[in-house]
Structures are given as structure tokens and as C-alpha cells.
Amino acid sequence: MNYRGSKQRERILELLKKTHSHPTADWLYMTLKGEIPNLSLGTVYRNLKILVEQGLILKLSFGSTFDRFEAKIAPHYHLVCENCGVVDDINMPQFSQINAKAEKLTLFKIVRHQIYFFGICDKCLG
Ligand SMILES: [Zn+2]
Ligand SMILES: [Zn+2]
């Protein structure tokens, strides 16, 4: 099958919807390249950028070397293992007033916030 442009993007989005590991662009590329022969890491990045712009996926940046991506776009907080780098969702209600509090302290119009909890995951703890 010949995959081009939007078809590649569709497959990236499908894979992101199926996986909950908040993968990197590299992981998506390695996973899909067998299925999509003309795929390159550059096209994966380009498609991810478009999907982020379309609001279909989120990009997670928290100072690690690689950006991570996910298709779960409802607001939620994250756990990050400082030992193995695993990123997980935490099922915890959003702090609804925190945006308004931050707004009172600044001239910013706050639209969203993110929280990352850093620590050691259960697997690394043994
Ligand atoms: Zn870990
Ligand atoms: Zn998440």
C-alpha cells in the first residue's frame, strides 16, 4: 500500500490513540517504518507538528531530551520517573482555581496549566 501525506498522519494518530506510553517521535518512527516504507523521521516530526496545530494531539515538554506526544487531549497531570524516564497519567482532579490565582498575580490571560510530578516509578523501586 502506498502511504502519503495525510494517510501517514492518520496512521500516526491511530497509533498514538492506541498507546498510552506518551511516545517520542523516534518511537513512532521505529514502530511505523516497517508498515510505511517511505516514512522518515522528518516526516514523522512534520506530521506530529500538524496534528498538534490541529489540536488532535498534545506535545509534552518538561525539560527531557525528547518531546513526547499523546492523543489524550483532555487536561490531565503526569508522573515522570527520573530513573527510567517513563511518563504516566495520574488520575487526579484538575486544580480549577489555579489559573485564576495565577492571573491575579500577573498581567497574563491564563488559558491552561500543566503539572508534572517527578519521582521514581514502581518498577524502578522494585
Ligand atoms: Zn522508572
Ligand atoms: Zn498523558
Side-chain angles (χ1 to χ4, degrees), residues 3-20:
Y3 282 103
R4 305 210 142 263
S6 63
K7 183 66 188 170
Q8 293 184 354
R9 195 147 63 241
E10 230 169 78
R11 287 296 294 126
I12 292 171
L13 181 59
E14 274 171 27
L15 181 58
L16 273 173
K17 280 182 175 164
K18 276 192 298 197
T19 179
H20 303 286

Side-chain angles (χ1 to χ4, degrees), residues 4-86:
R4 305 210 142 263
S6 63
K7 183 66 188 170
Q8 293 184 354
R9 195 147 63 241
E10 230 169 78
R11 287 296 294 126
I12 292 171
L13 181 59
E14 274 171 27
L15 181 58
L16 273 173
K17 280 182 175 164
K18 276 192 298 197
T19 179
H20 303 286
S21 61
H22 304 80
T24 61
D26 210 53
W27 183 91
L28 291 162
Y29 168 64
M30 296 302 280
T31 306
L32 288 173
K33 72 173 182 179
E35 175 196 338
I36 310 173
N38 57 343
L39 194 69
S40 72
L41 188 54
T43 53
V44 172
Y45 272 113
R46 200 154 50 245
N47 281 313
L48 286 168
K49 188 169 182 283
I50 293 168
L51 288 168
V52 170
E53 284 165 4
Q54 290 175 335
L56 295 171
I57 64 168
L58 292 178
K59 181 165 94 167
L60 305 178
S61 311
F62 46 89
S64 71
T65 325
F66 302 106
D67 290 329
R68 288 164 167 274
F69 298 87
E70 69 177 330
K72 181 177 173 181
I73 52 172
H76 60 283
Y77 299 146
H78 290 100
L79 301 160
V80 181
C81 177
E82 291 189 302
N83 188 48
C84 69
V86 76

